[in-house]
Amino acid sequence: YGEFQKTNLEAFGELFEHIDGVVDFVIVDAPGGFGYEAQQVLKQCEEILLVVTPTLSAVMDGLKTLQAAEEHGITVAGVIVNMAHGRNELRKEEVEAIIGHPLLARIKYGQKIRKAAHRGWPVTYAHPRCRAAREFRKIAEHLCPTEN
């Protein structure tokens, strides 16, 4: 938390200016909603990949983020549901109806993800054939299509 407090969000754009033309894209994990931090990050984006948990409050915050992005002319690259459990949460169809975009992926927070995280390994390495690993590969292919 202390490091976050030292972050100068006004200078955030300078970072992107330095790497412009050097990398194809940058993934930034940022808060959702209309907060100051979210707005500062959105100012620097050309596209967003929205990640929400399957709860009503998280999806509603995600909707606010999407609306703010669309107001700034930012492309929505996709919507992902992360940390799904399967019970007592919004279904795929409900999330899509609220957000207004189809889901790119639904990542279930299962035992294989927990085991991989405990070892400090990506689930795509630890359990490459599990459903979560396949969903992550689907996201990667969407972001960086390969030619067959």
Side-chain angles (χ1 to χ4, degrees), residues 10-26:
E10 287 83 16
F12 198 59
E14 292 177 27
L15 170 66
F16 287 97
E17 288 176 18
H18 289 303
I19 60 174
D20 190 30
V22 177
V23 297
D24 292 330
F25 61 88
V26 176

Side-chain angles (χ1 to χ4, degrees), residues 44-86:
Q44 306 305 319
C45 295
E46 295 173 7
E47 292 184 52
I48 66 165
L49 180 65
L50 182 70
V51 181
V52 296
T53 57
T55 63
L56 184 59
S57 61
V59 173
M60 293 307 293
D61 277 348
L63 178 61
K64 292 175 192 174
T65 302
L66 282 181
Q67 290 170 339
E70 289 170 347
E71 287 174 11
H72 289 92
I74 299 168
T75 303
V76 178
V79 178
I80 299 167
V81 168
N82 192 27
M83 299 182 73
H85 295 284

Side-chain angles (χ1 to χ4, degrees), residues 20-127:
D20 190 30
V22 177
V23 297
D24 292 330
F25 61 88
V26 176
I27 296 177
V28 178
D29 186 0
F34 281 124
Y36 175 74
E37 293 86 3
Q39 293 300 312
Q40 293 302 312
V41 172
L42 275 178
K43 285 181 182 178
Q44 306 305 319
C45 295
E46 295 173 7
E47 292 184 52
I48 66 165
L49 180 65
L50 182 70
V51 181
V52 296
T53 57
T55 63
L56 184 59
S57 61
V59 173
M60 293 307 293
D61 277 348
L63 178 61
K64 292 175 192 174
T65 302
L66 282 181
Q67 290 170 339
E70 289 170 347
E71 287 174 11
H72 289 92
I74 299 168
T75 303
V76 178
V79 178
I80 299 167
V81 168
N82 192 27
M83 299 182 73
H85 295 284
R87 288 184 282 192
N88 302 317
E89 63 188 19
L90 295 174
R91 295 184 325 272
K92 174 186 181 223
E93 299 78 18
E94 293 171 315
V95 174
E96 290 175 335
I98 293 168
I99 294 289
H101 290 271
L103 288 186
L104 174 59
R106 182 180 176 276
I107 313 289
K108 186 173 181 184
Y109 188 67
Q111 182 178 5
K112 292 188 178 176
I113 286 186
R114 289 191 297 274
K115 282 183 178 181
H118 178 71
R119 291 186 175 121
W121 296 343
V123 72
T124 53
Y125 172 78
H127 305 284

